[in-house]
Amino acid sequence: QFLSITVWIKMYSCRQNARIIDFGNGTGTDNIVLSTIGTTCTLIGGVVNVNSFIYATASFPFSLNQWYHVAGVFSGSSSTLFINGAQVGYMVGNAIQVRVKNISYVGRSNWDIGANDQVTDADFDELIVYNRSLTPGEILNEYNRNSTYLIPV
């Protein structure tokens, strides 16, 4: 019941509940979600079940047109968020359920696309899914290894 996801993301606009990843079997079926909340460009992450979405929230929003390294570590019932190698959010909530996630998306939601959930206006690079909890040191090392290749635009 452990999962870590890392990805580089560059957002171009703050769309409503824009998903980075949404791994599930439809709506509210123990989905593992990395997303923004509302139109704030603030990262959230957690597990959505039929009854609730309890999520960790980052301490600051993304700036547009800038690359960020994002990591979500889902361990049992805890969700920990990292941006550019630093922990920015933590929450204990819904536990990960061990089951196949047949409807999994990058950049869109399992919920109907419309007013409440929109396709993410962003570029993604180097999405990696791990079947274990990465340590903060491993996340920082991954960020540092790849951040030297970023070219300011």
Side-chain angles (χ1 to χ4, degrees):
Q1 297 176 338
F2 306 100
L3 179 74
S4 299
I5 299 164
T6 62
V7 64
W8 285 90
I9 183 169
K10 182 178 185 181
M11 298 190 73
Y12 296 104
S13 65
C14 296
R15 293 186 176 173
Q16 183 75 21
N17 300 327
R19 297 296 197 273
I20 297 171
I21 60 99
D22 186 338
F23 296 166
N25 288 315
T27 60
T29 56
D30 301 311
N31 300 51
I32 299 166
V33 172
L34 285 174
S35 178
T36 60
I37 187 164
T39 56
T40 65
C41 271
T42 300
L43 177 68
I44 62 171
V47 178
V48 183
N49 66 28
V50 174
N51 300 314
S52 66
F53 182 19
I54 301 171
Y55 51 84
T57 305
S59 52
F60 62 92
F62 292 115
S63 295
L64 298 180
N65 303 306
Q66 181 177 329
W67 282 104
Y68 290 94
H69 182 262
V70 171
V73 178
F74 305 95
S75 177
S77 61
S78 69
S79 301
T80 308
L81 304 177
F82 296 81
I83 296 177
N84 293 345
Q87 183 177 325
V88 295
Y90 175 82
M91 176 63 72
V92 174
N94 298 322
I96 294 176
Q97 301 301 313
V98 178
R99 61 178 59 131
V100 174
K101 309 285 188 195
N102 288 318
I103 306 173
S104 298
Y105 296 110
V106 175
R108 70 159 287 169
S109 173
N110 265 290
W111 281 255
D112 290 335
I113 301 301
N116 292 326
D117 292 299
Q118 296 183 356
V119 174
T120 305
D121 184 19
D123 287 333
F124 300 94
D125 196 16
E126 298 183 31
L127 173 73
I128 304 171
V129 179
Y130 298 87
N131 64 353
R132 63 184 181 86
S133 294
L134 293 179
T135 66
E138 288 173 314
I139 291 168
L140 180 60
N141 287 341
E142 185 178 307
Y143 165 69
N144 286 331
R145 181 179 65 245
N146 293 316
S147 64
T148 56
Y149 300 105
L150 294 179
I151 299 170
V153 180

